[in-house]
Amino acid sequence: MTTAHERIGAHDAAGSTSTTRIVLAALRGARSDLADAWHAPLVRQGFVAMLLIALGAFSPAFVAADAPLYDGPFFSHMTSEPARFTATALLLVGLLRLLDVWLRLRPAPGRPTAPVAAWAWWSLPIACVPPLFSRDAYSYAAQGLVVSRGMDPYRTGPIAVPGAFADQVDPLWLYTAAPYGPLALQVQRLVVDLTGGHALLAAIAMRIPALVALGVIAYALPRLAQRMGVSRDQAVWLGVLNPLVLMHLVGGMHNDAMMIALVVVGLLLAADGRWVAGAIAVAAGAGFKQTAVLALVGVAGLAYRHARGLAGEGALRSGVDEPAYARIAVKVGLVALAAFTVLTALTGLGWGWIANLGVPGSVLSLLAPVSMLAAGVSFLLTQLGVPGEWTAGVVPATQAVGMVGVLIGLVWITWVLAPRRPVAAAAAAMLVFTFGGPTVYPWYVLWGVVLLGATATHRRLVAAVCVAAGWLIAYSMLDLSVVNGAGMLGIAAVAWGALNLWRRRAELAAPMAAVVPGDTEEFDGDVRRTLAGLLSRG
């Protein structure tokens, strides 16, 4: 006859063994996935493309010309004209090659894309290089130091920590307080503390949360796509292996990576009927970047459809019980608000970010259609001799009209699209807010584009995403070329890339891959069965 202590010990041993089996199975699966991915020729070509980008990453295009990095004997030559030209050539060839590989990996009937683990191989070459295509990571490091020293990041900018940290920050943001959510700032503080206060190392280490985030996206997005009746190949190709993802979420290590990862997790949880956990996940995403709240329309729609016994996404003309949907939407909103309030209290940083929401929009963004239109109209009126006091109001007035259009679009998305096509609604809300807002940076586009990978997307929209990706890559190529003093080389590379896209125009508009089962279902089933066994022993 066994004693209570013996039974508890046996129970713990069984639980430990089962947990170990899960971990070992996951590790074996990851190793197998990495090996399978490496055997794909296009994955190896993408790796080489990223390696070229990594070799050019230490040029002044990404590192300030007066950075201490250039004081050492190894990197001191990188500021010379031949070195800058060579680095620019490496970066341009790498970007063009990466875009070409990605387009060739486009899934089609009978032709799957690369294994999802390809993202790890493509991320490896740039894992330890300086921040790419943006200097925001230097601001993150300085803000983390501000928090670490007990100052309020919502009231003071990086200038509050003069020295190596502040010297790295773009002068444009040196005096601006942080607009980010409290979770982002606490993660930045943690990274700064763990790197021992080394300014450059802290900035590079901001890539660790970004890599974790992309790993989460790579896990969750194909599963969300399958729940929506969409091929996992589409999710992997459009939302994980997208060059913009590698360039800006991994290379630029923006807070947007964690935000997008938590949004995808939240939608996946809601698709499985766990809408409370989904709303909490989205609220956590808002703790990194507040635009995550737009994805709550998707959580509400998925919760409604699960409650009605509806799987996946439906037709736009399908009926909706509007009062029932409204009640669920309110509950989702209240849970998210409560979760965000608790998370904010736990961080101890408060709500100061509200006053700083306009910081990103303080710079006129020519990538934003509304601001581009306004700037063009203002310039034209000035050339026609219209007084400056009249033209001064063109930009803010046009931006205000754009935001009204955004609000109208969000109402339609919330009330019409979300209860019928929830993931499409979350993607649409992100994209409408991005392109109707006053400021657009290349990584903003990923808020919605990643989610498009998990919803039925028309082939013409996919083609438009490819063209947009090409345009944004061209923008980055021109920017880095000008900074490195090789503008003509950048123009030539952009022309070559545009010609390549034009030649592929028929291929870009071809039908996407059909819905196919993936290995995620088998692995999910194994995990669920093991977890069920653990719970049954309790």
Side-chain angles (χ1 to χ4, degrees), residues 78-173:
M78 288 301 298
T79 56
S80 67
E81 185 173 347
R84 286 187 282 114
F85 185 88
T86 302
T88 302
L90 290 172
L91 289 164
L92 295 177
V93 172
L95 289 171
L96 288 173
R97 195 74 191 102
L98 181 64
L99 177 61
D100 180 69
V101 167
W102 179 64
L103 292 175
R104 291 167 64 188
L105 283 172
R106 186 184 190 275
R111 189 187 68 194
T113 190
V116 68
W119 76 267
W121 287 115
W122 290 3
S123 299
L124 184 61
I126 62 171
C128 297
V129 303
L132 301 175
F133 308 106
S134 168
R135 294 178 65 180
D136 280 7
Y138 297 120
S139 295
Y140 296 167
Q143 290 161 358
L145 185 60
V146 167
V147 177
S148 182
R149 291 184 176 177
M151 293 180 279
D152 187 350
Y154 295 134
R155 294 194 176 191
T156 185
I159 193 63
V161 287
F165 279 83
D167 290 345
Q168 298 182 135
V169 178
D170 189 323
L172 189 65
W173 309 116

Side-chain angles (χ1 to χ4, degrees), residues 342-409:
V342 171
L343 290 172
T344 299
L346 292 175
T347 63
L349 295 178
W351 299 76
W353 54 268
I354 295 176
N356 303 333
L357 286 177
V359 167
S362 60
V363 178
L364 185 63
S365 170
L366 294 182
L367 284 178
V370 173
S371 296
M372 189 184 302
L373 174 64
V377 172
S378 179
F379 175 79
L380 180 61
L381 292 176
T382 301
Q383 296 304 306
L384 293 175
V386 177
E389 58 269 21
W390 290 11
T391 60
V394 171
V395 172
T398 306
Q399 291 175 343
V401 172
M403 290 309 299
V404 171
V406 169
L407 291 175
I408 293 173

Side-chain angles (χ1 to χ4, degrees), residues 232-257:
R232 68 186 301 273
D233 281 330
Q234 174 182 310
V236 171
W237 179 74
L238 199 57
V240 179
L241 302 183
N242 193 312
L244 297 178
V245 171
L246 276 299
M247 290 169 60
H248 298 295
L249 297 191
V250 179
M253 44 194 129
H254 294 281
N255 289 325
D256 309 63

Side-chain angles (χ1 to χ4, degrees), residues 68-69 138 141-142 145 164-165 168 191-206:
L69 180 70
Y138 297 120
L145 185 60
F165 279 83
Q168 298 182 135
V191 171
V192 169
D193 290 346
L194 291 176
T195 50
H198 189 285
L200 179 59
L201 183 58
I204 295 175
M206 294 294 166

Side-chain angles (χ1 to χ4, degrees), residues 255-339:
N255 289 325
D256 309 63
M258 291 299 296
M259 183 266 279
I260 294 171
L262 287 165
V263 163
V264 173
V265 169
L267 293 173
L268 178 60
L269 290 168
D272 288 341
R274 293 173 285 177
W275 66 266
V276 173
I280 293 173
V282 172
F288 285 88
K289 204 146 194 177
Q290 297 85 345
T291 43
V293 299
L294 296 171
L296 289 174
V297 298
V299 175
L302 289 167
Y304 166 78
R305 294 185 66 79
H306 189 272
R308 308 287 291 187
L310 302 172
E313 296 187 306
L316 279 179
R317 295 184 178 180
S318 57
V320 173
D321 185 343
E322 294 176 348
Y325 168 66
R327 287 192 295 271
I328 290 176
V330 169
K331 291 177 182 178
V332 168
L334 291 175
V335 169
L337 178 59

Side-chain angles (χ1 to χ4, degrees), residues 354-505:
I354 295 176
N356 303 333
L357 286 177
V359 167
S362 60
V363 178
L364 185 63
S365 170
L366 294 182
L367 284 178
V370 173
S371 296
M372 189 184 302
L373 174 64
V377 172
S378 179
F379 175 79
L380 180 61
L381 292 176
T382 301
Q383 296 304 306
L384 293 175
V386 177
E389 58 269 21
W390 290 11
T391 60
V394 171
V395 172
T398 306
Q399 291 175 343
V401 172
M403 290 309 299
V404 171
V406 169
L407 291 175
I408 293 173
L410 291 178
V411 169
W412 181 85
I413 290 168
T414 303
W415 196 247
V416 178
L417 188 60
R420 297 170 174 86
R421 296 193 59 195
V423 177
M430 295 287 193
L431 292 173
V432 166
F433 185 82
T434 298
F435 290 107
T439 304
V440 175
Y441 292 107
W443 49 95
Y444 286 14
V445 177
L446 292 172
W447 302 344
V449 167
V450 170
L451 296 181
L452 285 179
T455 184
T457 305
H458 193 277
R459 59 189 177 89
R460 295 192 183 278
L461 180 56
V462 174
V465 170
C466 294
V467 173
W471 157 243
L472 293 173
I473 291 173
Y475 176 85
S476 295
M477 289 196 297
L478 288 174
D479 183 54
L480 70 89
S481 300
V482 170
V483 174
N484 273 347
M488 294 305 298
L489 189 61
I491 292 173
V494 168
W496 178 265
L499 180 62
N500 186 35
L501 275 177
W502 175 256
R503 289 173 174 171
R504 292 176 176 271
R505 62 189 184 278

